Amino acid sequence: MRKRIVAGNWKMNKNFQDAEDLMFEIVDEITENGIGETEVIICPPSVYLEMSSDIAVENGFMIGAQNFSQWDSGAYTGEVSASMLHSMGISHAIIGHSERRTYFGETDKIIASKVDLALKYGITPIYCCGEVLAERKAEKHFDVIRTQLSEALFHLGKEAVSQVIIAYEPVWAIGTGVTASSAQAQEMHAFIRSILADKFGDDVSQEISILYGGSCNAQNAEELFANTDVDGGLIGGASLKAVDFVTIVNSFK
Ligand code: PGA
């Protein structure tokens, strides 16, 4: 059966003490409410990975990076590599987030090389795809997602692609308070799964968790997660509040 997953993307928020406090608040909420069968991954800023992973290990959740370098190692001042993350016990990494594509010029080619590096070092990629508003309005959203998936993942074999978590994040829904409707999310998730089935076979497509991201919150998570092809969420803003985040974690029926 596919894993149910809720991942929190803290983005570039919180100073050290606030980050540590939030981590402990999440631990308290988890201790009180449990997480059921859901896999929980928190992605704090990279400078807090060590602090966070120590806490996560003791409390049954996992830590992911928000980003890492497209290169394996070497003279790349300021960069953090997949190998370094692996050596610190980091299990997951977000790859291809729309903010990386928009503000840091990450192309499908760069993103594909990051997917390869993550898999090389045993880090589970949380691969993000999503269309911008103009593309949806022009009814190009399915083509956009097909292209993004094929550029980043189609070079992989069946075994490798089975390791990947996909997050569908319509760019117009990220941080805007405008969520995709439950029907829009299900429609796109089913489309993504059908593309995966065509390329890698039905068995593989049924194993891959597809998360929804974009203004998912404690109020709408239950409806979104009730869809057959929505296996959880990648949560930005609402992951900065422990009560809301753990409510979302427990929003599966
Ligand atoms: P949001 O962000 O939940 O704040 O819309 C989601 C994301 O960017 O992963």
Side-chain angles (χ1 to χ4, degrees), residues 69-103:
S69 173
Q70 70 203 79
W71 293 288
D72 206 334
S73 69
Y76 301 104
T77 301
E79 290 291 271
V80 169
S81 72
S83 160
M84 291 173 192
L85 296 174
H86 172 69
S87 70
M88 290 186 60
I90 303 304
S91 54
H92 292 72
I94 298 171
I95 300 177
H97 191 281
S98 71
E99 287 150 19
R100 302 281 332 160
R101 294 179 193 255
T102 306
Y103 304 131

Side-chain angles (χ1 to χ4, degrees), residues 145-230:
I145 300 302
R146 188 199 307 275
T147 304
Q148 288 178 350
L149 289 174
S150 65
E151 300 276 326
L153 303 179
F154 276 18
H155 63 288
L156 300 174
K158 285 187 185 196
E159 208 174 304
V161 81
S162 306
Q163 312 298 311
V164 176
I165 298 167
I166 293 176
Y168 168 58
E169 299 206 305
V171 180
W172 46 272
I174 297 178
T176 58
V178 181
T179 317
S181 70
S182 179
Q184 285 172 325
Q186 169 57 25
E187 184 185 38
M188 185 57 88
H189 284 228
F191 176 72
I192 292 171
R193 207 176 300 287
S194 74
I195 291 179
L196 296 171
D198 288 347
K199 173 71 185 167
F200 298 103
D202 208 36
D203 289 0
V204 172
S205 81
Q206 290 300 331
E207 272 175 44
I208 297 178
S209 297
I210 307 176
L211 315 184
Y212 169 78
S215 298
C216 181
N217 58 37
Q219 285 72 46
N220 60 31
E222 190 171 312
E223 192 186 339
L224 287 161
F225 295 178
N227 289 300
T228 326
D229 289 294
V230 178

